[in-house]
Structures are given as structure tokens and as C-alpha cells.
PDB file of all heavy atoms in Angstrom:
ATOM      1  N   ALA Q   1       0.353 -14.488  -7.626  1.00  0.00           N
ATOM      2  CA  ALA Q   1       1.809 -14.708  -7.855  1.00  0.00           C
ATOM      3  C   ALA Q   1       2.018 -16.081  -8.595  1.00  0.00           C
ATOM      4  O   ALA Q   1       2.863 -16.107  -9.531  1.00  0.00           O
ATOM      5  CB  ALA Q   1       2.506 -14.748  -6.481  1.00  0.00           C
ATOM      6  N   GLN Q   2       1.238 -17.066  -8.264  1.00  0.00           N
ATOM      7  CA  GLN Q   2       1.432 -18.304  -8.984  1.00  0.00           C
ATOM      8  C   GLN Q   2       1.070 -18.233 -10.445  1.00  0.00           C
ATOM      9  O   GLN Q   2       1.736 -18.808 -11.299  1.00  0.00           O
ATOM     10  CB  GLN Q   2       0.559 -19.419  -8.292  1.00  0.00           C
ATOM     11  CG  GLN Q   2       1.098 -19.819  -6.965  1.00  0.00           C
ATOM     12  CD  GLN Q   2       0.252 -20.960  -6.367  1.00  0.00           C
ATOM     13  OE1 GLN Q   2       0.094 -22.042  -6.985  1.00  0.00           O
ATOM     14  NE2 GLN Q   2      -0.325 -20.789  -5.179  1.00  0.00           N
ATOM     15  N   ILE Q   3      -0.041 -17.466 -10.719  1.00  0.00           N
ATOM     16  CA  ILE Q   3      -0.476 -17.300 -12.104  1.00  0.00           C
ATOM     17  C   ILE Q   3       0.608 -16.542 -12.897  1.00  0.00           C
ATOM     18  O   ILE Q   3       0.976 -16.891 -14.017  1.00  0.00           O
ATOM     19  CB  ILE Q   3      -1.778 -16.609 -12.202  1.00  0.00           C
ATOM     20  CG1 ILE Q   3      -2.898 -17.488 -11.574  1.00  0.00           C
ATOM     21  CG2 ILE Q   3      -2.123 -16.182 -13.645  1.00  0.00           C
ATOM     22  CD1 ILE Q   3      -4.215 -16.756 -11.468  1.00  0.00           C
ATOM     23  N   ALA Q   4       1.185 -15.464 -12.293  1.00  0.00           N
ATOM     24  CA  ALA Q   4       2.197 -14.695 -12.930  1.00  0.00           C
ATOM     25  C   ALA Q   4       3.433 -15.560 -13.226  1.00  0.00           C
ATOM     26  O   ALA Q   4       4.086 -15.395 -14.269  1.00  0.00           O
ATOM     27  CB  ALA Q   4       2.561 -13.484 -12.114  1.00  0.00           C
ATOM     28  N   GLN Q   5       3.790 -16.464 -12.330  1.00  0.00           N
ATOM     29  CA  GLN Q   5       4.884 -17.385 -12.578  1.00  0.00           C
ATOM     30  C   GLN Q   5       4.597 -18.352 -13.705  1.00  0.00           C
ATOM     31  O   GLN Q   5       5.445 -18.628 -14.534  1.00  0.00           O
ATOM     32  CB  GLN Q   5       5.201 -18.148 -11.313  1.00  0.00           C
ATOM     33  CG  GLN Q   5       5.940 -17.362 -10.195  1.00  0.00           C
ATOM     34  CD  GLN Q   5       6.187 -18.253  -9.033  1.00  0.00           C
ATOM     35  OE1 GLN Q   5       5.372 -19.113  -8.654  1.00  0.00           O
ATOM     36  NE2 GLN Q   5       7.310 -18.085  -8.382  1.00  0.00           N
ATOM     37  N   THR Q   6       3.368 -18.812 -13.744  1.00  0.00           N
ATOM     38  CA  THR Q   6       2.944 -19.790 -14.791  1.00  0.00           C
ATOM     39  C   THR Q   6       2.896 -19.119 -16.151  1.00  0.00           C
ATOM     40  O   THR Q   6       3.132 -19.806 -17.145  1.00  0.00           O
ATOM     41  CB  THR Q   6       1.553 -20.346 -14.413  1.00  0.00           C
ATOM     42  OG1 THR Q   6       1.589 -20.974 -13.190  1.00  0.00           O
ATOM     43  CG2 THR Q   6       1.031 -21.370 -15.504  1.00  0.00           C
ATOM     44  N   ARG Q   7       2.590 -17.808 -16.210  1.00  0.00           N
ATOM     45  CA  ARG Q   7       2.447 -17.144 -17.564  1.00  0.00           C
ATOM     46  C   ARG Q   7       3.386 -15.980 -17.592  1.00  0.00           C
ATOM     47  O   ARG Q   7       2.996 -14.802 -17.599  1.00  0.00           O
ATOM     48  CB  ARG Q   7       0.974 -16.682 -17.629  1.00  0.00           C
ATOM     49  CG  ARG Q   7       0.021 -17.874 -17.744  1.00  0.00           C
ATOM     50  CD  ARG Q   7      -1.413 -17.451 -17.628  1.00  0.00           C
ATOM     51  NE  ARG Q   7      -1.863 -16.457 -18.602  1.00  0.00           N
ATOM     52  CZ  ARG Q   7      -3.074 -15.993 -18.754  1.00  0.00           C
ATOM     53  NH1 ARG Q   7      -4.018 -16.510 -17.999  1.00  0.00           N
ATOM     54  NH2 ARG Q   7      -3.287 -15.084 -19.640  1.00  0.00           N
ATOM     55  N   PRO Q   8       4.698 -16.214 -17.697  1.00  0.00           N
ATOM     56  CA  PRO Q   8       5.706 -15.142 -17.722  1.00  0.00           C
ATOM     57  C   PRO Q   8       5.603 -14.264 -18.913  1.00  0.00           C
ATOM     58  O   PRO Q   8       6.070 -13.069 -18.915  1.00  0.00           O
ATOM     59  CB  PRO Q   8       7.050 -15.848 -17.650  1.00  0.00           C
ATOM     60  CG  PRO Q   8       6.723 -17.209 -18.256  1.00  0.00           C
ATOM     61  CD  PRO Q   8       5.336 -17.558 -17.788  1.00  0.00           C
ATOM     62  N   ALA Q   9       4.937 -14.635 -20.003  1.00  0.00           N
ATOM     63  CA  ALA Q   9       4.833 -13.843 -21.170  1.00  0.00           C
ATOM     64  C   ALA Q   9       3.751 -12.786 -21.133  1.00  0.00           C
ATOM     65  O   ALA Q   9       3.625 -11.927 -22.029  1.00  0.00           O
ATOM     66  CB  ALA Q   9       4.657 -14.720 -22.415  1.00  0.00           C
ATOM     67  N   ASP Q  10       2.921 -12.838 -20.057  1.00  0.00           N
ATOM     68  CA  ASP Q  10       1.818 -11.911 -19.902  1.00  0.00           C
ATOM     69  C   ASP Q  10       2.108 -10.896 -18.781  1.00  0.00           C
ATOM     70  O   ASP Q  10       2.827 -11.175 -17.815  1.00  0.00           O
ATOM     71  CB  ASP Q  10       0.516 -12.627 -19.560  1.00  0.00           C
ATOM     72  CG  ASP Q  10       0.060 -13.524 -20.676  1.00  0.00           C
ATOM     73  OD1 ASP Q  10       0.308 -13.169 -21.864  1.00  0.00           O
ATOM     74  OD2 ASP Q  10      -0.546 -14.593 -20.418  1.00  0.00           O
ATOM     75  N   ASN Q  11       1.591  -9.709 -18.964  1.00  0.00           N
ATOM     76  CA  ASN Q  11       1.677  -8.654 -17.891  1.00  0.00           C
ATOM     77  C   ASN Q  11       0.328  -8.624 -17.104  1.00  0.00           C
ATOM     78  O   ASN Q  11      -0.740  -8.718 -17.692  1.00  0.00           O
ATOM     79  CB  ASN Q  11       1.813  -7.254 -18.545  1.00  0.00           C
ATOM     80  CG  ASN Q  11       3.238  -7.076 -19.105  1.00  0.00           C
ATOM     81  OD1 ASN Q  11       4.160  -7.799 -18.762  1.00  0.00           O
ATOM     82  ND2 ASN Q  11       3.356  -6.132 -20.014  1.00  0.00           N
ATOM     83  N   PHE Q  12       0.434  -8.547 -15.775  1.00  0.00           N
ATOM     84  CA  PHE Q  12      -0.690  -8.648 -14.903  1.00  0.00           C
ATOM     85  C   PHE Q  12      -0.871  -7.305 -14.128  1.00  0.00           C
ATOM     86  O   PHE Q  12       0.015  -6.923 -13.338  1.00  0.00           O
ATOM     87  CB  PHE Q  12      -0.579  -9.861 -13.913  1.00  0.00           C
ATOM     88  CG  PHE Q  12      -0.754 -11.145 -14.579  1.00  0.00           C
ATOM     89  CD1 PHE Q  12       0.441 -11.791 -15.111  1.00  0.00           C
ATOM     90  CD2 PHE Q  12      -1.931 -11.712 -14.865  1.00  0.00           C
ATOM     91  CE1 PHE Q  12       0.282 -12.944 -15.813  1.00  0.00           C
ATOM     92  CE2 PHE Q  12      -2.075 -12.882 -15.506  1.00  0.00           C
ATOM     93  CZ  PHE Q  12      -0.931 -13.600 -16.028  1.00  0.00           C
ATOM     94  N   LEU Q  13      -1.932  -6.646 -14.444  1.00  0.00           N
ATOM     95  CA  LEU Q  13      -2.286  -5.387 -13.794  1.00  0.00           C
ATOM     96  C   LEU Q  13      -3.276  -5.650 -12.704  1.00  0.00           C
ATOM     97  O   LEU Q  13      -4.475  -6.037 -13.011  1.00  0.00           O
ATOM     98  CB  LEU Q  13      -2.864  -4.438 -14.817  1.00  0.00           C
ATOM     99  CG  LEU Q  13      -3.221  -3.026 -14.390  1.00  0.00           C
ATOM    100  CD1 LEU Q  13      -1.914  -2.269 -13.921  1.00  0.00           C
ATOM    101  CD2 LEU Q  13      -3.945  -2.249 -15.377  1.00  0.00           C
ATOM    102  N   CYS Q  14      -2.927  -5.520 -11.455  1.00  0.00           N
ATOM    103  CA  CYS Q  14      -3.690  -6.018 -10.318  1.00  0.00           C
ATOM    104  C   CYS Q  14      -4.256  -4.886  -9.490  1.00  0.00           C
ATOM    105  O   CYS Q  14      -3.496  -3.979  -9.078  1.00  0.00           O
ATOM    106  CB  CYS Q  14      -2.855  -6.962  -9.490  1.00  0.00           C
ATOM    107  SG  CYS Q  14      -2.104  -8.323 -10.390  1.00  0.00           S
ATOM    108  N   CYS Q  15      -5.573  -4.905  -9.179  1.00  0.00           N
ATOM    109  CA  CYS Q  15      -6.160  -3.846  -8.325  1.00  0.00           C
ATOM    110  C   CYS Q  15      -6.719  -4.464  -7.089  1.00  0.00           C
ATOM    111  O   CYS Q  15      -7.458  -5.471  -7.112  1.00  0.00           O
ATOM    112  CB  CYS Q  15      -7.308  -3.227  -9.193  1.00  0.00           C
ATOM    113  SG  CYS Q  15      -6.847  -2.324 -10.616  1.00  0.00           S
ATOM    114  N   GLU Q  16      -6.401  -3.821  -5.976  1.00  0.00           N
ATOM    115  CA  GLU Q  16      -6.836  -4.304  -4.676  1.00  0.00           C
ATOM    116  C   GLU Q  16      -6.788  -3.125  -3.704  1.00  0.00           C
ATOM    117  O   GLU Q  16      -5.884  -2.290  -3.750  1.00  0.00           O
ATOM    118  CB  GLU Q  16      -5.936  -5.408  -4.139  1.00  0.00           C
ATOM    119  CG  GLU Q  16      -6.302  -5.934  -2.710  1.00  0.00           C
ATOM    120  CD  GLU Q  16      -7.642  -6.530  -2.708  1.00  0.00           C
ATOM    121  OE1 GLU Q  16      -7.895  -7.586  -3.181  1.00  0.00           O
ATOM    122  OE2 GLU Q  16      -8.528  -5.792  -2.087  1.00  0.00           O
ATOM    123  N   VAL Q  17      -7.817  -3.011  -2.782  1.00  0.00           N
ATOM    124  CA  VAL Q  17      -7.821  -1.934  -1.831  1.00  0.00           C
ATOM    125  C   VAL Q  17      -7.447  -2.392  -0.417  1.00  0.00           C
ATOM    126  O   VAL Q  17      -7.204  -1.561   0.476  1.00  0.00           O
ATOM    127  CB  VAL Q  17      -9.192  -1.244  -1.749  1.00  0.00           C
ATOM    128  CG1 VAL Q  17      -9.499  -0.596  -3.071  1.00  0.00           C
ATOM    129  CG2 VAL Q  17     -10.278  -2.273  -1.376  1.00  0.00           C
ATOM    130  N   HIS Q  18      -7.388  -3.703  -0.203  1.00  0.00           N
ATOM    131  CA  HIS Q  18      -7.002  -4.242   1.105  1.00  0.00           C
ATOM    132  C   HIS Q  18      -5.510  -4.101   1.399  1.00  0.00           C
ATOM    133  O   HIS Q  18      -4.716  -4.820   0.755  1.00  0.00           O
ATOM    134  CB  HIS Q  18      -7.465  -5.642   1.137  1.00  0.00           C
ATOM    135  CG  HIS Q  18      -7.276  -6.402   2.453  1.00  0.00           C
ATOM    136  ND1 HIS Q  18      -7.897  -5.957   3.577  1.00  0.00           N
ATOM    137  CD2 HIS Q  18      -6.588  -7.486   2.862  1.00  0.00           C
ATOM    138  CE1 HIS Q  18      -7.606  -6.778   4.623  1.00  0.00           C
ATOM    139  NE2 HIS Q  18      -6.821  -7.728   4.159  1.00  0.00           N
ATOM    140  N   GLU Q  19      -5.104  -3.254   2.267  1.00  0.00           N
ATOM    141  CA  GLU Q  19      -3.684  -2.877   2.390  1.00  0.00           C
ATOM    142  C   GLU Q  19      -2.762  -4.106   2.776  1.00  0.00           C
ATOM    143  O   GLU Q  19      -1.722  -4.237   2.275  1.00  0.00           O
ATOM    144  CB  GLU Q  19      -3.474  -1.716   3.342  1.00  0.00           C
ATOM    145  CG  GLU Q  19      -3.955  -0.400   2.791  1.00  0.00           C
ATOM    146  CD  GLU Q  19      -3.468   0.731   3.694  1.00  0.00           C
ATOM    147  OE1 GLU Q  19      -2.700   0.554   4.610  1.00  0.00           O
ATOM    148  OE2 GLU Q  19      -3.878   1.885   3.341  1.00  0.00           O
ATOM    149  N   PRO Q  20      -3.229  -4.948   3.774  1.00  0.00           N
ATOM    150  CA  PRO Q  20      -2.422  -6.125   4.092  1.00  0.00           C
ATOM    151  C   PRO Q  20      -2.270  -7.025   2.822  1.00  0.00           C
ATOM    152  O   PRO Q  20      -1.133  -7.594   2.648  1.00  0.00           O
ATOM    153  CB  PRO Q  20      -3.159  -6.826   5.172  1.00  0.00           C
ATOM    154  CG  PRO Q  20      -3.957  -5.737   5.823  1.00  0.00           C
ATOM    155  CD  PRO Q  20      -4.344  -4.820   4.710  1.00  0.00           C
ATOM    156  N   GLY Q  21      -3.250  -7.183   2.033  1.00  0.00           N
ATOM    157  CA  GLY Q  21      -3.191  -8.022   0.786  1.00  0.00           C
ATOM    158  C   GLY Q  21      -2.219  -7.426  -0.189  1.00  0.00           C
ATOM    159  O   GLY Q  21      -1.422  -8.116  -0.768  1.00  0.00           O
ATOM    160  N   VAL Q  22      -2.256  -6.048  -0.361  1.00  0.00           N
ATOM    161  CA  VAL Q  22      -1.245  -5.418  -1.254  1.00  0.00           C
ATOM    162  C   VAL Q  22       0.109  -5.651  -0.750  1.00  0.00           C
ATOM    163  O   VAL Q  22       1.082  -5.982  -1.477  1.00  0.00           O
ATOM    164  CB  VAL Q  22      -1.604  -3.940  -1.424  1.00  0.00           C
ATOM    165  CG1 VAL Q  22      -0.513  -3.213  -2.182  1.00  0.00           C
ATOM    166  CG2 VAL Q  22      -2.904  -3.763  -2.117  1.00  0.00           C
ATOM    167  N   GLY Q  23       0.322  -5.482   0.556  1.00  0.00           N
ATOM    168  CA  GLY Q  23       1.649  -5.714   1.141  1.00  0.00           C
ATOM    169  C   GLY Q  23       2.167  -7.088   0.936  1.00  0.00           C
ATOM    170  O   GLY Q  23       3.326  -7.387   0.627  1.00  0.00           O
ATOM    171  N   ALA Q  24       1.233  -8.091   1.094  1.00  0.00           N
ATOM    172  CA  ALA Q  24       1.539  -9.487   0.903  1.00  0.00           C
ATOM    173  C   ALA Q  24       2.024  -9.790  -0.535  1.00  0.00           C
ATOM    174  O   ALA Q  24       2.999 -10.475  -0.760  1.00  0.00           O
ATOM    175  CB  ALA Q  24       0.431 -10.387   1.315  1.00  0.00           C
ATOM    176  N   LEU Q  25       1.312  -9.204  -1.512  1.00  0.00           N
ATOM    177  CA  LEU Q  25       1.685  -9.471  -2.918  1.00  0.00           C
ATOM    178  C   LEU Q  25       2.946  -8.710  -3.219  1.00  0.00           C
ATOM    179  O   LEU Q  25       3.819  -9.301  -3.955  1.00  0.00           O
ATOM    180  CB  LEU Q  25       0.601  -9.052  -3.840  1.00  0.00           C
ATOM    181  CG  LEU Q  25       0.829  -9.285  -5.334  1.00  0.00           C
ATOM    182  CD1 LEU Q  25       1.186 -10.790  -5.622  1.00  0.00           C
ATOM    183  CD2 LEU Q  25      -0.351  -8.910  -6.168  1.00  0.00           C
ATOM    184  N   LEU Q  26       3.142  -7.566  -2.678  1.00  0.00           N
ATOM    185  CA  LEU Q  26       4.468  -6.815  -2.860  1.00  0.00           C
ATOM    186  C   LEU Q  26       5.617  -7.672  -2.386  1.00  0.00           C
ATOM    187  O   LEU Q  26       6.669  -7.815  -3.071  1.00  0.00           O
ATOM    188  CB  LEU Q  26       4.416  -5.501  -2.167  1.00  0.00           C
ATOM    189  CG  LEU Q  26       3.659  -4.384  -2.823  1.00  0.00           C
ATOM    190  CD1 LEU Q  26       3.575  -3.172  -1.888  1.00  0.00           C
ATOM    191  CD2 LEU Q  26       4.347  -3.926  -4.121  1.00  0.00           C
ATOM    192  N   LYS Q  27       5.410  -8.370  -1.254  1.00  0.00           N
ATOM    193  CA  LYS Q  27       6.438  -9.186  -0.729  1.00  0.00           C
ATOM    194  C   LYS Q  27       6.757 -10.356  -1.641  1.00  0.00           C
ATOM    195  O   LYS Q  27       7.911 -10.686  -1.855  1.00  0.00           O
ATOM    196  CB  LYS Q  27       6.020  -9.689   0.670  1.00  0.00           C
ATOM    197  CG  LYS Q  27       7.090 -10.485   1.474  1.00  0.00           C
ATOM    198  CD  LYS Q  27       6.599 -10.719   2.909  1.00  0.00           C
ATOM    199  CE  LYS Q  27       7.640 -11.358   3.760  1.00  0.00           C
ATOM    200  NZ  LYS Q  27       7.944 -12.777   3.373  1.00  0.00           N
ATOM    201  N   LEU Q  28       5.740 -10.991  -2.192  1.00  0.00           N
ATOM    202  CA  LEU Q  28       5.932 -12.081  -3.085  1.00  0.00           C
ATOM    203  C   LEU Q  28       6.584 -11.585  -4.396  1.00  0.00           C
ATOM    204  O   LEU Q  28       7.478 -12.292  -4.908  1.00  0.00           O
ATOM    205  CB  LEU Q  28       4.550 -12.715  -3.412  1.00  0.00           C
ATOM    206  CG  LEU Q  28       3.910 -13.512  -2.291  1.00  0.00           C
ATOM    207  CD1 LEU Q  28       2.461 -13.871  -2.701  1.00  0.00           C
ATOM    208  CD2 LEU Q  28       4.689 -14.732  -1.930  1.00  0.00           C
ATOM    209  N   CYS Q  29       6.160 -10.422  -4.849  1.00  0.00           N
ATOM    210  CA  CYS Q  29       6.798  -9.937  -6.087  1.00  0.00           C
ATOM    211  C   CYS Q  29       8.253  -9.684  -5.894  1.00  0.00           C
ATOM    212  O   CYS Q  29       9.067 -10.036  -6.754  1.00  0.00           O
ATOM    213  CB  CYS Q  29       6.091  -8.583  -6.520  1.00  0.00           C
ATOM    214  SG  CYS Q  29       4.436  -8.769  -7.148  1.00  0.00           S
ATOM    215  N   GLY Q  30       8.630  -9.099  -4.740  1.00  0.00           N
ATOM    216  CA  GLY Q  30      10.044  -8.789  -4.519  1.00  0.00           C
ATOM    217  C   GLY Q  30      10.867 -10.062  -4.296  1.00  0.00           C
ATOM    218  O   GLY Q  30      11.954 -10.170  -4.893  1.00  0.00           O
ATOM    219  N   GLU Q  31      10.323 -10.972  -3.487  1.00  0.00           N
ATOM    220  CA  GLU Q  31      11.094 -12.181  -3.152  1.00  0.00           C
ATOM    221  C   GLU Q  31      11.253 -13.105  -4.390  1.00  0.00           C
ATOM    222  O   GLU Q  31      12.249 -13.749  -4.484  1.00  0.00           O
ATOM    223  CB  GLU Q  31      10.398 -12.824  -2.014  1.00  0.00           C
ATOM    224  CG  GLU Q  31      10.491 -12.080  -0.658  1.00  0.00           C
ATOM    225  CD  GLU Q  31       9.732 -12.808   0.423  1.00  0.00           C
ATOM    226  OE1 GLU Q  31       8.933 -13.770   0.154  1.00  0.00           O
ATOM    227  OE2 GLU Q  31       9.963 -12.387   1.572  1.00  0.00           O
TER     228      GLU Q  31
END
């Protein structure tokens, strides 16, 4: 999330299988 904030001109395609981690990043993306 911090990298995406630092580089708003880039698109970040993120892959993860750990469900709590995906949920945590979804929360950050939304908030």
C-alpha cells in the first residue's frame, strides 16, 4: 500500500494466496 501511494502513476498487480493478507490489503485499498 505504501509503494502504491508513493508511485501513483504506476499500476500494481498483486498476487497472494494468504487469505488474511488479501483481506488486509483490500481494507487498505478501500480505506
Side-chain angles (χ1 to χ4, degrees):
Q2 290 184 55
I3 293 171
Q5 286 182 322
T6 301
R7 296 170 54 175
D10 294 329
N11 289 338
F12 291 90
L13 183 66
C14 305
C15 294
E16 177 60 74
V17 296
H18 184 59
E19 289 193 6
V22 173
L25 183 55
L26 283 172
K27 188 171 185 290
L28 292 171
C29 288
E31 291 176 347

